[in-house]
Amino acid sequence: QVHLVESGGGLVHTGDSLRLSCVASGRTIERLPMGWFRQAPGKEREFVAAISWLSGSTHYANSVKDRFTISRDNAKNTLYLQMNSLKPDDTAVYSCAASSDSPNYICYNKGDFNSWGQGTQVAVSS
């Protein structure tokens, strides 16, 4: 497994942008499928975005498509989530995740990931 630490959350207004970072340690993320999930109060954790380790291809939840961008810098062992045009519905705790035992290049389901960060709070006011 890999140790993950997120940062970059905060309180913003509707339409603002934030960039979340997830620094990994313990092993390189170069060959790991990685993703971002979020959990709003009273709701289950939901998929936000994923990125392949092989081609860098990405996949997004419909609710964030065209507003959020997931990226990775393997040299810095860091995963990013650029969030633009934020809405109050984006308010949640955002967690990054990595899979060290999946045979797939990219993963989308919570159960596919075996390493999770502690999360960073994002709050969007109207």
Side-chain angles (χ1 to χ4, degrees), residues 2-80:
V2 58
H3 184 61
L4 303 170
V5 178
E6 303 93 336
S7 63
L11 173 63
V12 297
H13 297 290
T14 297
D16 286 350
S17 298
L18 278 176
R19 188 195 195 201
L20 305 184
S21 298
C22 171
V23 178
S25 61
R27 64 170 290 176
T28 176
I29 65 169
E30 186 175 6
R31 296 175 72 87
L32 301 184
M34 300 195 71
W36 287 96
F37 289 76
R38 67 186 182 186
Q39 186 168 19
K43 295 186 177 181
E44 292 193 1
R45 181 179 286 177
E46 64 174 6
F47 169 77
V48 175
I51 186 167
S52 163
W53 66 261
L54 180 62
S55 63
S57 62
T58 57
H59 182 72
Y60 298 92
N62 288 334
S63 59
V64 307
K65 199 173 295 184
D66 298 327
R67 298 189 299 123
F68 290 11
T69 302
I70 186 172
S71 62
R72 62 196 298 161
D73 186 336
N74 291 334
K76 295 183 178 180
N77 231 31
T78 301
L79 180 73
Y80 301 100

Side-chain angles (χ1 to χ4, degrees), residues 1 12 22 30 44 48 72 93 95-96 101 110 113 118-119:
Q1 294 188 350
V12 297
C22 171
E30 186 175 6
E44 292 193 1
V48 175
R72 62 196 298 161
V93 175
S95 300
C96 64
D101 59 6
K110 288 179 287 188
F113 295 92
Q118 84 291 345

